[in-house]
Amino acid sequence: MPRGIRLCTYILSGRARHIRSMTTTLHADCALVAGQWQRDVRVSIDAAGRIASVHTDALPQAGDQRLSDRVLLPAPGNLHSHAFQRAMAGRTERRSGANDSFWTWREQMYRFVDRMTPDHLLAVAALAYVEMLEAGYAAVAEFHYLHHAVGGAAYANIAETTSRIVAATETAGIGLTHLPVLYQRGGLDGRPPAGGQQRFACDADRFATLMSAARDVLARTRPDARLGVAPHSLRAVDSGGLKLAIELVQGGPIHIHIAEQTGEVDEVLAATGLRPVQWLLEHVPVDDRWCLLHATHLDDAEVASLAASGATVGLAPVTEANLGDGIFRAVDFRDAGGRFGIGTDSNVRIDLAEELRTLEYGQRLQRRSRAVIADDDYSNGRVLFDAACAGGAAALGRASGEIAPGNWADLLTLDRTRLDLAGVTGDGWLDAWIFSAPGRVVRDVWSAGHHRVRDGRHVEREAVEAAYRRTLAELTG
Ligand code: ZN
């Protein structure tokens, strides 16, 4: 059987398994509910995958799924992913010039993109999403810019690659906020997209058609899927493009890369006289629907005005370290009342605990101090985990981030039998998981009520991994 058909058959069978038809009730010895650690917690999940009720100090009843020796937590959303880049992970660590940088990495990425077919994209994204679930994420905001065929010609179905992303989320069973990217130009000087960028490029009409087609595709998938939009960056989109994106998304989430590299700050400053975040806040009505990705290089005024805007800052500390971006002003932004969340971006590593640990360690190395993100009441692990939950929910526009009636049943458990979790309790479980436990201590993950990770392993890992291995052989052969 040709590989494409084999994948399609597999995906169709996967889709059938995602139809929930029953209510489920979980009983956990301990759980984090509405910001408090509670004992004997019963969580009922309705047929649609939403939390119907939460009861504390409740005895287990017949038919309950018992979560013994586990801690039940809300599962955060991953607020930033380029799934296709998972296949490049670990393959860009050779020096490509005297000064290897984000910009030389980007050239490698463009060359890689030119090998990728829609079938490849499906297989790579499915593996990335399986790994995200295993790491503890229940949903993903996919910042999707690989729209067209090599050279920039549209596929017969303009939403071809969007369909593959949606199929990959169905295979893995992860919640999706899909963000089609608007990419108009190769730089602030207005030069046209060139080389690998041609696969991303859209003018206004093409992008409007693409957004409409994407909306149709999402209407046929899980009910928790959402459509957002992603004007790529101030380099790639002009003010007319920003206006268009805001119109087309009809109230959905809006994500943009911004101030990730000092080179980008310099380019925007030279072209407009303003720094990138300053320019955006002065020209566009940024509010809590917005997620500004990275925002690494901010001055004091930008820290204050960005926090006041209500937007979420989307951090991806492992990718930011890998690409040498710099260190986000997390403490200043937190003190100004700003909200941030966590994503996996290039997917060079897919590990929620590592993202949170890397964020804290960057702050420590910069400030030569310890327990930087912690506050007077809560530990590092607790503050970081709460931020990931709240920031992920806001950025994905997803009712989640807390174990509460009405939210999607996005849940995870930590395995309390693991040595590193022995002898601790409450926030200590989060600290032990994030800062000390080797490997993964995430034992179960549910996404909108679908129980996709059991005993630390995704239920479809074997098949998805096999398809990924075949794809990688083609991509790197
Ligand atoms: Zn990105």
Side-chain angles (χ1 to χ4, degrees):
M1 186 185 293
R3 196 176 55 83
I5 294 173
R6 195 164 58 218
L7 268 172
C8 288
T9 307
Y10 166 65
I11 284 155
L12 287 173
S13 63
R15 185 174 298 178
R17 279 194 294 277
H18 294 159
I19 299 168
R20 286 179 54 83
S21 57
M22 300 168 57
T23 59
T24 310
T25 300
L26 310 177
H27 181 275
D29 299 341
C30 38
L32 185 59
V33 179
Q36 303 290 325
W37 293 104
Q38 300 285 358
R39 298 200 65 82
D40 287 312
V41 178
R42 290 185 83 232
V43 179
S44 292
I45 304 170
D46 68 19
R50 289 187 185 266
I51 296 172
S53 63
V54 181
H55 293 101
T56 58
D57 297 317
L59 292 174
Q61 297 182 13
D64 286 2
Q65 188 175 344
R66 299 286 300 274
L67 306 174
S68 305
D69 297 323
R70 280 167 272 187
V71 185
L72 183 66
L73 302 169
N78 172 358
L79 56 62
H80 190 52
S81 162
H82 310 289
F84 77 87
Q85 292 177 10
R86 170 64 181 82
M88 294 172 61
R91 293 165 195 279
T92 58
E93 299 303 323
R94 293 183 74 89
R95 196 172 259 212
S96 58
N99 185 17
D100 211 80
S101 69
F102 170 89
W103 307 103
T104 54
W105 173 87
R106 194 178 70 153
E107 289 306 317
Q108 290 180 289
M109 186 266 284
Y110 289 164
R111 286 197 291 276
F112 188 81
V113 154
D114 270 346
R115 291 170 160 240
M116 195 163 260
T117 66
D119 277 353
H120 294 147
L121 175 65
L122 168 53
V124 173
L127 182 79
Y129 298 151
V130 160
E131 292 179 336
M132 287 173 200
L133 284 158
E134 288 181 343
Y137 298 107
V140 60
E142 180 63 31
F143 195 102
H144 176 65
Y145 54 56
L146 187 55
H147 299 310
H148 313 304
V150 175
Y155 289 109
N157 168 12
I158 194 166
E160 178 71 41
T161 60
T162 281
S163 302
R164 303 307 177 106
I165 290 292
V166 169
T169 63
E170 289 172 338
T171 299
I174 196 167
L176 174 66
T177 293
H178 189 61
L179 305 164
V181 169
L182 175 60
Y183 200 102
Q184 297 174 296
R185 60 187 183 180
L188 278 139
D189 58 3
R191 61 185 177 272
Q197 295 169 341
Q198 291 171 319
R199 296 194 70 179
F200 319 152
C202 285
D203 62 16
D205 288 346
R206 197 186 216 189
F207 192 65
T209 307
L210 177 61
M211 282 289 286
S212 170
R215 199 176 291 283
D216 292 345
V217 173
L218 289 178
R220 297 192 293 272
T221 187
R222 278 182 16 178
D224 55 319
R226 286 208 68 180
L227 182 65
V229 73
H232 180 275
S233 59
L234 297 184
R235 282 179 281 120
V237 176
D238 62 20
S239 53
L242 282 165
K243 191 160 172 282
L244 174 73
I246 295 166
E247 280 170 19
L248 290 174
V249 77
Q250 299 172 16
I254 307 165
H255 290 214
I256 185 169
H257 291 133
I258 201 154
E260 178 176 6
Q261 289 275 324
T262 52
E264 179 196 343
V265 175
D266 295 343
E267 198 180 341
V268 173
L269 198 52
T272 69
L274 299 175
R275 300 169 56 83
V277 169
Q278 183 187 13
W279 188 93
L280 188 75
L281 295 176
E282 288 187 13
H283 289 83
V284 177
V286 173
D287 58 18
D288 59 5
R289 287 191 294 136
W290 282 73
C291 179
L292 273 61
L293 298 159
H294 310 297
T296 313
H297 303 287
L298 302 177
D299 67 14
D300 291 345
E302 287 173 313
V303 167
S305 51
L306 180 51
S309 74
T312 303
V313 167
L315 302 173
V318 172
T319 293
E320 288 156 7
N322 184 269
L323 296 178
D325 288 347
I327 295 175
F328 174 67
R329 295 176 61 177
V331 175
D332 297 334
F333 189 67
R334 191 262 323 262
D335 290 349
R339 178 175 58 218
F340 61 83
I342 290 293
T344 58
D345 196 358
S346 71
N347 296 307
V348 63
R349 292 264 299 159
I350 297 177
D351 187 324
L352 172 56
E354 185 171 332
E355 295 288 355
L356 298 174
R357 184 169 66 245
T358 303
L359 172 57
E360 167 69 17
Y361 282 176
Q363 306 295 314
R364 290 187 191 188
L365 290 164
Q366 190 178 47
R367 291 171 172 258
R368 287 173 282 170
S369 116
R370 291 194 73 257
V372 174
I373 296 282
D375 59 27
D376 293 342
D377 299 319
Y378 297 106
S379 69
N380 277 301
R382 176 63 187 278
V383 173
L384 289 163
F385 185 74
D386 283 354
C389 289
L396 272 71
R398 183 174 174 90
S400 63
E402 199 172 292
I403 301 176
N407 278 354
W408 294 108
D410 290 354
L411 304 165
L412 68 84
T413 68
L414 302 182
D415 186 349
R416 283 171 60 202
T417 66
R418 289 286 299 266
L419 182 62
D420 292 276
L421 269 61
V424 293
T425 187
D427 293 351
W429 286 316
L430 296 170
D431 292 332
W433 170 39
I434 294 166
F435 289 94
S436 119
R440 302 243 169 91
V441 297
V442 173
R443 187 158 157 186
D444 306 89
V445 179
W446 293 259
S447 171
H450 300 283
H451 193 181
R452 302 304 287 168
V453 176
R454 299 170 191 244
D455 288 328
R457 193 173 167 87
H458 191 282
V459 294
E460 304 287 355
R461 177 172 258 284
E462 202 174 326
V464 171
E465 193 177 298
Y468 176 78
R469 284 179 185 277
R470 289 191 296 273
T471 293
L472 203 61
E474 289 177 21
L475 280 170
T476 59

